[in-house]
Amino acid sequence: MKTRLHIFLGAGGVGKTTLSASLAIHLAFQGRRVGLLSIDPAKRLKTALGADHIDESGQIFWKSETGDGELRAAVLSLPDSLRRWIRDEGLEGDHEQRLFEHPLFQTVAEKIASATETLAPIRMAEWIEQFPDTDDLIIDTAPGLHAVDFLIRPERLLAFFDSKILEWLKWFAGGDEANAGFMQRIFRSGAKSILQALGKVGGENILLSLGELLLMMDRVMFRMVDRLEEARRWIRDPATDVVLVCSPRDDAVSVAAELARILADNDMKDSRIVLNRSISEAFFADEQVRSLFAKTNFPATDFDALFCQYLQSASTIRESVMKRLGENTVTELPVLAGLEQAGELRLEELDRLGSRLRR
C-alpha cells in the first residue's frame, strides 16, 4: 500500500496529540501529503494545531505555496460519518430521510458514538478512498489502554461480520443474485416486500422495525465490512508505525509497558516507545552535573541544595523508567518551550519536534 500508517497510543496527558500533530507538520513540510485523524473524544487536536475548527470530513489545514506538501486534519465523529456513508450510497426515494428519522437508527447512532475505537478503522480505510494521493495517515487515539482496540478490534468485528448471520443478511438483501435459484429469487423478493410492508404498520414490533432498518442499511453495512478488511490488512502491514507515547510518570509508564505487551501478544512486536518530556542520559552523565550529586553540605534552605536534590531524584526516576520499559526501543524527547508560545513560530516548533519522531 502506498500510504504509510502512523498510530499514536498512550496514557492521557503525555503529549500524544501534540506529538502526532508535530509528525504530521514535519512530514507535510517535507513535501508529503499527510492526513491527521484524531479519534480522541476530548478533541485536543484543535488545541495542538492552534485551529479554530476541525470537523470530521478531512479539511486542508496547511498547504505549501508550491503545492508539494499539505496537511488534512479531521476529528472523528462516527454519527456524522455514518450519515455521510449513507448519503454516499445514494439510497433511493425517501429511504435516506426515513432512515435518519427511524428510532432504531437514532439509537444505533448514539451507540456508535460510544464505540469510537472499535469502528474508527472504518473511517481510517475510507480516508484513502477520499484522498487516494495521501502519503502518510497519522492516527491520534484516545488516551488509555482501551485505545488498543483500534488495532485489535478489526479482527473481532470481522469475526462477527463473517458469521452465518451476515451471510444470511447478505443473501436476503440481494447479494450473490447470479447464483440464486429461481425459487430463491422469488422468495427473497417476496420476503423483502412483506417485511417492508409489515415494518410500516408494525412500528411497535421491535423485530419488524429492526428488519426494516437492516433492509435500508444493507449497502452501508457491507461497505463497512470491506473497509474493516482493508483496515485489518493495513494495520498489519510491516511498514505501519505504532508509537507508544509515555512520560516520566508512573501511570504513563505502566500504560506504555502494558500496551507494548498487548501488541506483542497480538503479533505486533515492532511498536516503539517515545519517552516525552525526558531528561536524557547524556545530561546526567555530564561530569559537571554528576559532581553536583556528591555535594551534601548545603544548608537545607539553600536553592543549590534543592536543585541538587531535584537532579538526584530525576536521575533515579529516569533509571526506574528505563528499567520498567525493558527491552523496548525507546526514543527520548526533551521539553520544547517554544510549543507553549503562541505566534507564527508554533508550526516551526512542531516541525522541529516532528523531525525527532520520524522513522
Side-chain angles (χ1 to χ4, degrees):
M1 179 177 292
K2 174 189 174 184
T3 306
R4 189 179 187 194
L5 183 63
H6 309 261
I7 303 173
F8 284 75
L9 302 163
V14 297
K16 179 171 51 62
T17 300
T18 299
L19 294 185
S20 61
S22 68
L23 179 60
I25 288 292
H26 171 70
L27 293 173
F29 279 15
Q30 295 298 307
R32 298 178 68 84
R33 292 180 173 84
V34 182
L36 176 56
L37 174 62
S38 174
I39 60 176
D40 182 354
K43 297 179 174 58
R44 297 182 179 90
L45 184 60
K46 292 189 293 184
T47 301
L49 290 175
D52 295 330
H53 174 72
I54 300 176
D55 60 25
E56 70 86 35
S57 65
Q59 63 204 69
I60 293 181
F61 170 77
W62 178 88
K63 189 177 182 67
S64 71
E65 295 181 357
T66 61
D68 295 332
E70 68 177 30
L71 171 59
R72 289 185 180 272
V75 174
L76 183 66
S77 172
L78 279 172
D80 291 340
S81 295
L82 182 59
R83 288 180 172 83
R84 184 164 49 75
W85 295 338
I86 291 167
R87 292 190 181 97
D88 289 346
E89 292 300 330
L91 297 180
E92 298 177 358
D94 63 348
H95 281 190
E96 179 182 304
Q97 181 179 352
R98 289 174 55 210
L99 179 57
F100 290 165
E101 295 175 353
H102 200 293
L104 275 177
F105 171 82
Q106 295 172 4
T107 300
V108 168
E110 291 177 2
K111 292 295 184 182
I112 282 177
S114 64
T116 300
E117 290 80 20
T118 302
L119 297 180
I122 299 172
R123 179 67 181 93
M124 181 185 80
E126 185 208 15
W127 189 284
I128 305 306
E129 298 173 16
Q130 291 179 295
F131 314 112
D133 60 347
T134 301
D135 296 311
D136 298 89
L137 179 59
I138 298 170
I139 309 296
D140 171 39
T141 64
L145 288 173
H146 64 283
V148 79
D149 286 349
F150 181 82
L151 302 182
I152 62 178
R153 283 287 181 179
E155 306 283 352
R156 301 180 189 178
L157 283 174
L158 284 170
F160 165 76
F161 280 126
D162 287 339
S163 68
K164 294 297 182 182
I165 295 175
L166 182 67
E167 291 302 315
W168 181 84
L169 288 174
K170 188 173 182 179
W171 175 87
F172 185 82
D176 201 22
E177 191 74 35
N179 296 325
F182 177 71
M183 292 303 297
Q184 288 178 321
R185 290 198 297 269
I186 291 178
F187 173 77
R188 180 184 300 153
S189 176
K192 290 172 67 174
S193 299
I194 292 172
L195 187 56
Q196 287 174 328
L198 290 176
K200 294 178 180 178
V201 299
E204 300 302 320
N205 188 317
I206 186 66
L207 293 178
L208 294 177
S209 295
L210 179 60
E212 182 184 26
L213 178 65
L214 290 172
L215 287 174
M216 298 171 72
M217 286 190 66
D218 62 331
R219 281 181 287 181
V220 174
M221 185 169 62
F222 296 123
R223 178 67 65 85
M224 291 168 69
V225 173
D226 293 339
R227 287 169 176 163
L228 275 171
E229 181 62 46
E230 182 63 25
R232 184 184 67 167
R233 290 194 297 267
W234 197 6
I235 288 171
R236 296 285 178 175
D237 190 300
T240 294
D241 180 26
V242 180
V243 184
L244 311 179
V245 182
C246 71
S247 62
R249 269 181 14 217
D250 184 71
D251 64 317
V253 175
S254 296
V255 168
E258 181 63 10
L259 285 170
R261 185 195 64 79
I262 294 172
L263 293 175
D265 289 347
N266 285 271
D267 297 322
M268 299 182 68
K269 300 181 175 66
D270 294 331
S271 62
R272 59 188 175 117
I273 294 179
V274 169
L275 182 58
N276 194 25
R277 303 164 185 158
S278 172
I279 301 176
S280 71
E281 182 180 12
F283 174 80
F284 292 113
D286 182 84
E287 292 185 5
Q288 290 183 326
V289 174
R290 293 205 63 83
S291 68
L292 294 175
F293 288 15
K295 295 184 179 181
T296 59
N297 57 346
F298 293 110
T301 57
D302 193 291
F303 173 80
D304 289 340
L306 296 176
F307 180 63
C308 288
Q309 292 173 12
Y310 165 78
L311 290 177
Q312 292 168 358
S313 176
S315 177
T316 301
I317 290 173
R318 185 189 180 282
E319 290 176 3
S320 174
V321 167
M322 299 305 289
K323 182 177 180 179
R324 291 174 61 188
L325 294 178
E327 298 179 355
N328 295 287
T329 301
V330 178
T331 301
E332 295 185 73
L333 296 178
V335 175
L336 294 182
L339 291 177
E340 307 302 327
Q341 300 172 358
E344 297 180 356
L345 292 179
R346 183 176 181 85
L347 293 185
E348 281 68 21
E349 293 290 347
L350 286 171
D351 172 43
R352 185 158 65 94
L353 181 60
S355 66
R356 301 281 298 273
L357 285 168
R358 189 170 185 177
R359 184 177 183 177

